[in-house]
Every structure is written in C-alpha cells, then in structure tokens.
Amino acid sequence: MKYAVAKRISGMLLIGSLLLSGCQISPASQVRETATTVDQAEVPSLPPGEKLISSFSDARLSGMLGIAQNNSLQLFIHEETAEIAVLHKQSGQIWRSNPADRDKDGIATGINKDLLSSQTRLSFFNSLGQSSSVNSYTDSVGHKQVSYEAIDNGVQVHYQFGSTERSIEDLPVKISKERFEQKLLSQLDSAGQRALKIGYTEDKEEGIYTRNDKALQGLQLSRALKAFETAGYTEEDLEQDHTEHGIELEQSGPRLFMLTMEYELDGEDLLVRIPSSGIHFPEEYPINTISVLDYFGAGGSNEEGSIFVPDGSGALIHFNNGKVQYPAYQQDIYGPDMTMKVREVSSNEAKARLPVFGLIREEGAFLGIIEEGDAVAVVNADISGKLNSYNNVYPSFYVVNKSDVTLQASDMVRTLPKFQAKPTASDFVVRYAFVGAEKASYSGLASLYRDYLLQTGGLPESKTSREQNSLPFYLKLLGGMSTRQHILGIPYDSTEALTTFDEAQNILSALKEKKVSNIQVRYAGWFNDGLYHRMPDSINVDRAIGGKKGMREFSSFTRESGIGFYPDVAMLSVQSKKGFRPSKEASRTLTQEPAVIYPMDPARQRRNLDRSPSYVLSPNLLDELTEEMLKDTAPLPMDGLSLRDLAEQLNSDMNPKKLLDRTQSLSVVTKALEQIKQQAGSVVADGGNGYALPYVTDLTDAPMTSSRFKLEDEEIPFYQLVLHGSISYTGTPYNLSTYTNARQYVLKLIEYGASPYFAWFNAPNHVVKETDYDHLYASNYEQWIDLAAQIYNEVNQANLPFAGRSMKSHESLAEGVFRTTYEGGGFAIVNYNDFPVDVENYTVKALSYVTGGEQL
C-alpha cells in the first residue's frame, strides 16, 4: 500500500470546504486515467506484443531490425533498447533516436546518462502537486516492460513505466524520537542505522525525526526501504506514525503509467505518433508533459551543425557554442495560453508562430513538423557541455496542467493543487522530413515546409506579380478611444475621436500626393466605443468619428482611390465590460477565476495593475459571436476585415463544466477564421500563427526578429522564407517600434521582403498621454508622413520586382551582409555596416543594398 500525504491544519476545515466547493477544486483523483474519455478502474497491463521480423539489415546498425522501407527511407528498431534509426536513402544519412556513442559520454551521469537512451519522458504530479518524472529507459526498458507490434509501414511500441515496488511514500513523513530510536535504530546494524540517519533529520525542539526527501533518492532510498523492512516496520506502523503527527493518509494505487509510440514511414517522411488512447495514468498521478525523441539526431561535441528553433522569425543555435551559462531554449508554440498563469516576459520576446523545429548538418538535415497537438506543444533545445555532450532539439506536449489555490484562515495558510479536469483531447504527432546535403540549410528546410503547407492547404495560393503594380503600404488608422469625463462631478465614459472618417480621407489624400500607392488601411477604433471596443455581438459605428454616414463616404473614397479598407475587430480579448459578464462569458483559469490580463509596463517589465485589464473570451462563445459579428458587418461598406487577435492568440477555457483545452479551442478558432474568410473575402490579421495562414491575405505585426535569447547565435527569416509570394506581410509599425534609425528599418524590409507599416491618428500626441493609450504617443501623422513616403518609395522600387515570387534562399555573406534570393534568380544584398563591402562582384555601400538578377 502506498500513501500520498497532506498536512492537517486545524481550524481550516470549514473554510477549506467552502473554498473547495466554491472554486470547484479538483483533486488529482478527478483527473481521468487516460487521455481518452474512457474511465477505467486501473491502469491496463502491458500488451503482450509480438516478435518482430527483420526484413533487411545494415552493417552500420548492429543489432537493429529492419522492419519497414519504401523508395526513400528504411526504418530500424532495436528490440532490447527500443531505439530506432532511419536511413535516408538518397543521402545515405542515418538518423538515430539515441546517440550511438552515448556510453562514452564523459559528462552525463546518473539519470542524465539514462536519458540519452530514452525515447520519451513523462513528468507527472502527485496529489500534493509536486512534480516528478519517469523515462522510457530507466523506468520501462530497464524493467523489460516494453512490447512491440508491427503496423503497416512501421511499428508500435508499448511502454509501461514504473512498477509495484515500494517507494518513498512507504516511509513515514515524521516519526517520534523515541520510536525512531527504539523501533528502528535499535533493530539495525551500523549500515542500516547510517541509511536512516541520512534519510531523516532530527528536530530536537519537536522531539521528532523528519523525512529528508532530497536525500532519499536512488540507492539511498533503496537502503532506507531495506532498513525499515529489516526493522520489521509495517503498514500499521506507518498509519500509527502519520496519525500521531496529524498527517492525513490518502490511499493510492501503484505509480504505473502506460504509453504507446508509433513509428510509420510516410513517403519521404517519418511519422511519430503518441495516440491519446494509448496514454494511461493513475488518477493520483496525472501526467503533466510528454516529450518525444529528446535526442533524435543529436549532434556530438565533435560535430559541426546548427539547431533551428521557431523563435519569432526563426533562430539558429550552433552546436557546441560554449554558452553553458545560459538556460536551455524553451518556447510554447503559438505563445502562452492566457488562461494559464502568464509569466512576466520581456516585451521584446517574440512568439513561436510556426509548429516546427530542425537540426542541420553539412551532410543532411531534418525538419520536425508538429502535425497534431501543436496547440499544446513546446519546442525545447540545448547545447552540449551542460548535462551531457550532445546538442539536441525536441518537442514536448502538455497533457494535464496544474495551478495552485491558496486557502487562508486567520494566520494559517494552505496551498492546494488544482488540476485540469480532463487531459488534452488530442493525439501527439510529429512528422520528421529529411534532406540531403543540397538542402541542408535553414533555407532548404523552409522550402521543404513551404511545399508541405502548399500540398496540405496550409498556405493560400501564391500571388503573382501581375496582381499588383506596387508594393502594399500598410497603415493602421486609430479612430476613437473611450475616456472618463465628468459632469458636475459625476463620472461617465465618452468616446473621443483620434481620427474621424473625414480626417482619415485627408491623411490618405496627403499620402497619395506624395506618390504612396497600394495603401491598405486597417481602421481600428471605429465601433462600440473605440479602440477598446465592446464585444462585437452587435455593432454600432461610433458617432464621434462620423457614424454610419461617415463610414459610407469614407468607403466610397477609398474605392475610388484604389485604397483597401479593413475595419479592425477584436474577437478574443474583451477590454470593455459593457454588455460583458466575466463570470459567465470569460474563460476560466484552473482556479476557476475569470481570465484577466493586465497590460505590460514596458519600463518595469511587469503587469501594470493600475491600467484597465482585458478579459479572455471563452472559446465556447466564439462560434456564436462570429456569426453575430458577420451578420452585423455584412451591410457595412468595406473591402474585408482586419482581425486584431484571432490569428495572434490561442486560449483554452478551464471551466470543468464546459472545458475546452487548447487543441479543442484551435478547432473553434480555425472554424471562425474560415467563416470570416468566406464572407469578408480579404482578411488582414495581426501576428500570423501557423493555423491562421490559409485564411489571411495580409499580415501585420508578423515576426521580423527572434527574441535573441542568449543561447541563440543567429537570427534568420525562416518565417519569411515560408510565406513570401503567398501572403504579403509587414512587422510592427515603424513609429511604434524600437527602431531609432530609419535606414536600418529600410534595410530590414528589403532583406526580409516586407512592406512598410505605420500607425497614425490625426489628433495631437498629447491627447493619449497618461491614459490607457499612452503607448500610442508617437502616432500623430504629421510628424511621420514625409518619412513614410520616402521609405515607401525606396522599398517599393527595391522589392516590387520580387512581389509574388517565393524566396529561394537567404544567407549571410559577411558580417552584417545578407543576400536574399528569389525564384527566377532575382536577389537583394543588404549591408548593415557603416562602411562599404565588396561581395559577390558587387560593392555595396554603407547602410545600403544592391538588387539584381532576373527582373519581371
């Protein structure tokens, strides 16, 4: 029998029960036992499996069975270790799930040594919310708890983790000094006494010995368990000691886990799947995360190569870069779930918007594409010299999330874990695509991913250069804002105009006079009380900026002038409580509070609780809200819609009565995007998470940099290499960006094939000072319009020849010098240095560029 423990705190039972019922605290026992919706009485036993038959072999893979092959790949597996290998026939490269020479690693010891032989790792919680982990080598293969079944084009591997052996929970948390010395120590020899004195610490004031959990691991735990057994310590003794010291016993079953991994050859790729139906865990030990092939293709300390991570526009981490003092790379795909505890991140941290990762060597490379479970995926990467001698990159997935609830009565405080009511309702699938030396670069991997997206409908059809005679100029016009006014000392909310429709016409006319063409306007703050508008379930054009009549006249003007007009709508963030009930319509956090987000203070890098917050709309309401919004916008004159957050953030709803995990929310969001695309036709969106790409025509605030984490070595335009020619894009508005030099901005636009972007209003800058909108301070158009026209005309001339073409490659030619090459042979070389550079038979002036190659 095993026990989880929780300290009994007198005087808190009443308040605890009230809070538990009010907050709907779910103990671990309420978590489902499998990642499916099927309840089971106990963890199933390991399937018997079958003896695998080898169809072919390779001398380089001693002891491994050849179990599947096609024209491109061969798949091997080792029955003793469960490791796999894939032979890429074209290049002759062998990609292993585990390093071949891991036994010679001079750095890794203990569990870190075992992890090099593991194919998957599970982290899990106990009933107190404490986290532990098991891995497939130590806790499954090591106990010979693995079985195999052949499937079409591959193999299925079943793992059982853990055993029914005794654990630390069979030892008392506290035991009196008298019982410790008389019941235990007096019955043991010196070795047994030493084991217990290492595992327990004396508290002389209390007259007790307390269990030292940090010391009771591995061999020391085994010795302590043996000592208790030798002394004749029983389950009745354990119950007596816990009762004496107010320790509440919670009976639990054995700590056993089951997981199935499938390896399947699919054309030129390897598919790795963890089906949700194959994930089983005891209700007392919910799984938090599952990792997949942590060391697949890992590079050794004597190898050259790079890790590709999807940080922002993309980044490379070079093998063995020596940055062992910096933390490992880890980013959630699609950014944080705003219903979870949002960590305080730097304002310049970019999101990982594409569900990909990779590893590059000179002789070959692979790209990992997360096909299912991407919404709950994390990409992890690290270099050699820390825990082991290898450079690796891999995905992991959230299964059950946890938060903490603090209960307080008088001067007594108790913290209890709150678990996600149901596990993630998704399989976890990763596609590994392989290339030989000719494409072993980040450009080659981007081309591979672009082709994959085009084949699977993940990108819209490519634009052709004949569709446009000039590059887009993106302009975000800020209409109105809600402010607090007073009449006779009585406060009320009023909408104040920043840019009326008439003033917008004047701004656009002035731009056209300065030879700016193909203007695409995102008009924000035009309805339901301005920029921080009410929910768009009913839409009223704000009279402060001109009302419906002004909007019709403005739309007629833009159409006659050839200007795109995209009214902006926020669907997922609710920044006004008018007509919105947070208790019913906001997503719930794990602690069952409405999910609320305060804006970041860029100076202090923390949430500003003095500013107005926004609420996270429950994705359960998104379908109905989308229909209502489209119904109300259908009669309005516009060329399409601008989406502020639907392609930017992805959130769950942890309300146990209507739980939608992030993978389920993804389905709801993509349905909404599809509906909007069908009605609106053209869609301009902020951000550009991977799932939104099929539904948008233009992207603003697309990633133009990485986060520049200290572990990273190079910032690359992987995102642009994938999108260019299919979706027009731009980054942050120049006047709201961190650029202090317009020349650097121009060069970036040319290097990355992007368009200029500004955010303006007509009012004086001071009207937003000391308001919730003061981050827009530098937005009066008059101070920017001349510079904007200069930037546009230069970038338009440089980039227009490449419009509608896909990027073929991007590379560094020298320090601060980069070349972007397009399909058909056109290229741009930019020089960020403050001195001229001679490269590729060209002299590129300081802070300048040259373009050439085939022109359209």
Side-chain angles (χ1 to χ4, degrees), residues 222-510:
S222 298
R223 289 171 175 169
L225 286 167
K226 183 179 179 180
F228 271 87
E229 182 180 0
T230 302
Y233 193 83
T234 65
E235 291 180 4
E236 290 73 19
D237 289 319
L238 181 66
E239 184 174 358
Q240 176 183 336
D241 287 324
H242 280 171
T243 301
E244 179 180 342
H245 297 287
I247 305 299
E248 185 176 316
L249 298 182
E250 182 180 309
Q251 185 173 353
S252 66
R255 200 181 68 178
L256 295 177
F257 304 89
M258 280 286 301
L259 182 140
T260 296
M261 293 185 72
E262 297 175 358
Y263 303 101
E264 177 189 352
L265 299 184
D266 183 25
E268 299 179 358
D269 308 332
L270 170 70
L271 278 182
V272 180
R273 177 185 299 271
I274 297 180
S276 61
S277 59
I279 303 171
H280 304 269
F281 51 87
E283 51 192 21
E284 299 90 351
Y285 299 105
I287 294 176
N288 178 217
T289 62
I290 298 176
S291 70
V292 175
L293 299 182
D294 297 28
Y295 291 95
F296 187 82
S301 56
N302 296 320
E303 295 183 78
E304 293 186 0
S306 297
I307 296 167
F308 157 63
V309 292
D311 174 20
S313 63
L316 296 180
I317 302 169
H318 296 323
F319 286 5
N320 314 308
N321 63 18
K323 300 179 180 180
V324 295
Q325 71 272 36
Y326 299 126
Y329 169 85
Q330 186 178 78
Q331 272 193 306
D332 293 350
I333 298 297
Y334 308 141
D337 184 336
M338 306 305 280
T339 65
M340 302 298 167
K341 184 178 180 180
V342 181
R343 64 187 177 92
E344 304 300 331
V345 298
S346 170
S347 58
N348 63 355
E349 181 171 328
K351 292 182 180 178
R353 298 200 179 274
L354 299 178
V356 292
F357 59 94
L359 190 141
I360 304 166
R361 292 187 177 89
E362 184 178 351
E363 60 274 17
F366 78 75
L367 178 70
I369 304 170
I370 304 171
E371 288 192 333
E372 295 183 46
D374 48 320
V376 293
V378 181
V379 172
N380 311 268
D382 210 351
I383 58 167
S384 67
K386 295 181 179 181
L387 304 177
N388 54 58
S389 301
Y390 296 95
N391 308 270
N392 66 315
V393 60
Y394 64 96
S396 56
F397 301 88
Y398 293 110
V399 180
V400 174
N401 289 285
K402 178 191 78 78
S403 186
D404 294 314
V405 178
T406 300
L407 310 180
Q408 186 168 357
S410 185
D411 59 345
M412 293 172 287
V413 177
R414 183 179 184 183
T415 299
L416 295 176
K418 174 68 173 69
F419 298 97
Q420 184 174 320
K422 298 178 183 178
T424 297
S426 173
D427 292 354
F428 305 131
V429 181
V430 184
R431 178 181 295 271
Y432 292 85
F434 307 96
V435 297
E438 73 284 355
K439 288 189 176 181
S441 64
Y442 61 84
S443 297
L445 295 185
S447 175
L448 186 69
Y449 187 49
R450 176 181 174 82
D451 290 344
Y452 166 84
L453 291 177
L454 290 171
Q455 291 168 10
T456 57
L459 276 178
E461 294 182 4
S462 298
K463 296 181 177 181
T464 67
S465 58
R466 283 185 286 273
E467 290 179 340
Q468 56 189 56
N469 297 316
S470 56
L471 212 65
F473 176 86
Y474 293 103
L475 177 61
K476 184 176 184 179
L477 287 177
L478 307 168
M481 64 177 182
S482 180
T483 60
R484 179 57 59 95
Q485 305 290 339
H486 294 81
I487 293 182
L488 300 176
I490 302 174
Y492 68 97
D493 290 329
S494 174
T495 301
E496 180 178 346
L498 294 172
T499 310
T500 67
F501 286 121
D502 286 342
E503 292 166 344
Q505 287 190 40
N506 295 333
I507 293 173
L508 296 177
S509 296

Side-chain angles (χ1 to χ4, degrees), residues 612-628:
S612 300
S614 62
Y615 290 89
V616 177
L617 180 77
S618 170
N620 286 288
L621 303 178
L622 183 59
D623 192 17
E624 180 181 354
L625 180 63
T626 301
E627 290 183 6
E628 292 171 342

Side-chain angles (χ1 to χ4, degrees), residues 513-685:
E513 288 176 4
K514 296 181 183 297
K515 309 302 180 184
V516 177
S517 56
N518 197 4
I519 303 170
Q520 304 297 314
V521 176
R522 299 180 62 215
Y523 211 119
W526 60 278
F527 76 102
N528 291 12
D529 301 334
L531 290 171
Y532 295 166
H533 61 73
R534 289 178 280 114
M535 281 180 64
D537 50 354
S538 64
I539 288 180
N540 297 296
V541 183
D542 291 331
R543 289 193 296 175
I545 64 170
K548 283 188 177 180
K549 179 181 178 183
M551 186 177 187
R552 284 195 298 270
E553 293 174 352
F554 179 73
S555 178
S556 297
F557 166 78
T558 57
R559 289 183 180 178
E560 291 172 3
S561 305
I563 295 171
F565 172 39
Y566 303 91
D568 185 69
V569 180
M571 301 289 290
L572 302 178
S573 297
V574 184
Q575 292 181 284
S576 172
K577 291 176 66 174
K578 290 183 179 178
F580 176 74
R581 298 167 298 171
S583 62
K584 293 184 178 294
E585 296 173 311
S587 282
R588 294 293 183 93
T589 65
L590 283 169
T591 56
Q592 298 311 297
E593 300 166 322
V596 60
I597 307 297
Y598 286 87
M600 286 291 293
D601 183 333
R604 295 185 296 170
Q605 290 300 312
R606 65 179 63 177
R607 299 284 166 183
N608 189 340
L609 302 183
D610 296 327
R611 291 296 172 89
S612 300
S614 62
Y615 290 89
V616 177
L617 180 77
S618 170
N620 286 288
L621 303 178
L622 183 59
D623 192 17
E624 180 181 354
L625 180 63
T626 301
E627 290 183 6
E628 292 171 342
M629 184 272 293
L630 290 175
K631 180 181 177 181
D632 274 22
T633 56
L636 298 176
M638 57 184 71
D639 298 319
L641 275 174
S642 167
L643 300 177
R644 190 182 308 176
D645 51 23
L646 208 54
E648 161 69 18
Q649 58 177 267
L650 184 63
N651 307 306
S652 56
D653 186 348
M654 288 293 137
N655 187 335
K657 295 181 180 179
K658 50 182 180 179
L659 185 146
L660 281 182
D661 67 47
R662 214 174 181 213
T663 64
Q664 295 168 319
S665 179
L666 176 57
S667 299
V668 176
V669 168
T670 52
K671 180 183 177 182
L673 285 165
E674 186 174 15
Q675 289 177 311
I676 292 169
K677 174 68 173 177
Q678 288 176 350
Q679 178 170 311
S682 296
V683 176
V684 179

